[in-house]
Amino acid sequence: MASQWWSDDDQLLEVLRDAMSTARELPPGFVDVGKAAYAWRTIDAELAALTYDSAWGAEELTLTRSESAMLRTLTFASEALTIELELTPHEVLGQISPPQAGTVRLAADSEDVGTTPIDDLGFFIVSPAPRHPFRLVCQVAAGITVMTGWISP
């Protein structure tokens, strides 16, 4: 019986060398076009509008407070879901309304950072909190997908 390439180290190294040389031969724009096409995967997601951001009134509050708050709250609304977020230095706390189970995918730039479950009451926690701009894509059991705008921590 002939050995397979994945069980023979020499054949495996040869396959890997071939894959690496092929990757170097790609035209420079080919990868960018692939990433742009991948970005269209959420085209059917409903975009939730930012309806509240506690940072909107931060300038007026600085006149009355000696320290700024460490908590920022945001509310995104779409026709199907409302997403309420609390941004802390360590995590993002969220709740969707109406409450239902699902998943939240965190995206930064063109890559997915991670996926977090939404419990039956609509709560989720993303930890650690992202340090760069990000957006959330919420998919619930009812088959609804809602995406937030970009959030700058």
Side-chain angles (χ1 to χ4, degrees), residues 28-68:
F30 190 77
V31 174
D32 294 333
V33 170
K35 287 180 180 180
Y38 181 70
W40 279 85
R41 74 193 183 290
T42 57
I43 193 67
D44 292 333
E46 186 176 353
L47 184 61
L50 180 63
T51 58
Y52 175 76
D53 186 346
S54 62
W56 285 342
E59 292 81 27
E60 293 106 26
L61 292 177
T62 56
L63 299 174
T64 59
R65 290 186 180 170
S66 61
E67 296 180 9
S68 62

Side-chain angles (χ1 to χ4, degrees), residues 54-141:
S54 62
W56 285 342
E59 292 81 27
E60 293 106 26
L61 292 177
T62 56
L63 299 174
T64 59
R65 290 186 180 170
S66 61
E67 296 180 9
S68 62
M70 294 300 292
L71 178 71
R72 180 176 171 202
T73 59
L74 301 157
T75 302
F76 291 90
S78 72
E79 189 173 310
L81 294 175
T82 299
I83 304 166
E84 296 181 18
L85 302 174
E86 292 182 355
L87 305 178
T88 72
H90 306 291
E91 57 196 5
V92 177
L93 308 170
Q95 181 179 16
I96 60 167
S97 179
Q100 51 192 303
T103 58
V104 172
R105 188 167 29 95
L106 187 73
D109 292 329
S110 62
E111 63 186 46
D112 289 339
V113 178
T115 302
T116 301
I118 302 171
D119 68 15
D120 293 338
L121 299 175
F123 289 103
F124 61 91
I125 298 173
V126 175
S127 184
R131 302 283 179 230
H132 303 288
F134 66 96
R135 71 183 339 158
L136 299 175
V137 180
C138 298
Q139 295 176 311
V140 294

